[in-house]
Amino acid sequence: MLDHLAYATPTLDDTVAALEKALGVRAAEGGRHPGLGTRNYLYGLGGRRYLEIIGPDPEQPEPDGPRWFMIDELSGPRLVNWCMRPADLDATVAEARRHGVDPGEPRAMSRRTTDGDLLEWRLTMPSRDPLVPFLIDWGTTVHPADRGLPEVSLLSLTGRHPDPGHARTRLRAFGAELEVERGDTPGLVARLAGGVVLS
């Protein structure tokens, strides 16, 4: 089940402003990721799904290593990955490993909202392959999409890959369903209401 899309950018404020102009509504400020050098803004996508716009946080020190989602390598915004919310995170990790795909060990994370509420979750590390989802478990935390986010409609999410069959095999290891077409490079395409396309 889709939890959220990760739209990474090297220039967060500019990207948020551009999306506000395109969508007609401004994303809600999410919060900072202490120690990772990033912060985010969020749109609800209908149901318990959301779009995360994530980029560098100039108010944090430089992180010890590269920022997540290849942010330090980007020259512009890109839909870099998608996140699944399985019914049982640990069982899904084990099943993926049985199929030869290792999503890594889940790790505990947290951040504060702008209101000071603490959000806590467990997740696997995002892959550099945009079609391979990372996994999340929100536990008892209120899901971000249930916190009154400004909403935009997600019309479709598809993938492209030089070897669609290989990509589909890896997706099946997670129990994931995603339409994958042939393309020169791996990537995701999200179509939002209003003719906005993120890729």
Side-chain angles (χ1 to χ4, degrees):
M1 178 183 298
L2 172 65
D3 186 79
H4 67 275
L5 304 177
Y7 192 54
T9 174
T11 53
L12 184 58
D13 290 342
D14 290 346
T15 301
V16 168
L19 284 174
E20 179 182 6
K21 183 176 181 180
L23 295 167
V25 60
R26 185 170 177 83
E29 187 170 354
R32 294 182 160 85
H33 305 108
L36 298 179
T38 56
R39 63 188 177 112
N40 64 14
Y41 285 76
L42 310 175
Y43 283 108
L45 294 175
R48 300 187 80 195
R49 309 179 303 176
Y50 66 96
L51 171 67
E52 176 184 29
I53 310 150
I54 183 167
D57 181 4
E59 296 186 20
Q60 288 190 56
E62 286 293 311
D64 292 337
R67 291 176 176 86
W68 284 26
F69 300 115
M70 302 172 287
I71 286 172
D72 299 320
E73 303 173 29
L74 298 177
S75 58
R78 186 191 307 167
L79 190 58
V80 292
N81 213 307
W82 64 301
C83 180
M84 281 180 56
R85 186 176 68 252
D88 186 324
L89 174 60
D90 297 302
T92 302
V93 168
E95 184 67 15
R97 287 174 176 160
R98 279 195 289 272
H99 285 85
V101 182
D102 187 358
E105 283 297 319
R107 60 183 285 184
M109 297 189 69
S110 65
R111 70 170 172 84
R112 293 276 177 186
T113 68
T114 54
D115 296 330
D117 293 340
L118 180 65
L119 306 184
E120 297 179 290
W121 64 92
R122 295 170 63 230
L123 88 170
T124 59
M125 289 287 289
S127 170
R128 291 184 68 90
D129 182 342
L131 269 65
V132 175
F134 60 106
L135 309 173
I136 197 164
D137 178 0
W138 289 98
T140 58
T141 287
V142 176
H143 192 272
D146 294 335
R147 303 179 69 88
L149 297 177
E151 285 207 5
V152 297
S153 295
L154 174 65
L155 304 181
S156 67
L157 176 66
T158 57
R160 60 177 184 271
H161 196 278
D163 185 346
H166 175 71
R168 293 186 194 107
T169 297
R170 289 172 66 84
L171 286 165
R172 282 195 295 271
F174 294 90
E177 294 183 9
L178 183 71
E179 181 183 335
V180 182
E181 301 173 347
R182 189 173 300 278
D184 292 338
T185 58
L188 293 167
V189 180
R191 289 176 171 82
L192 308 180
V196 176
V197 178
L198 307 180
S199 62

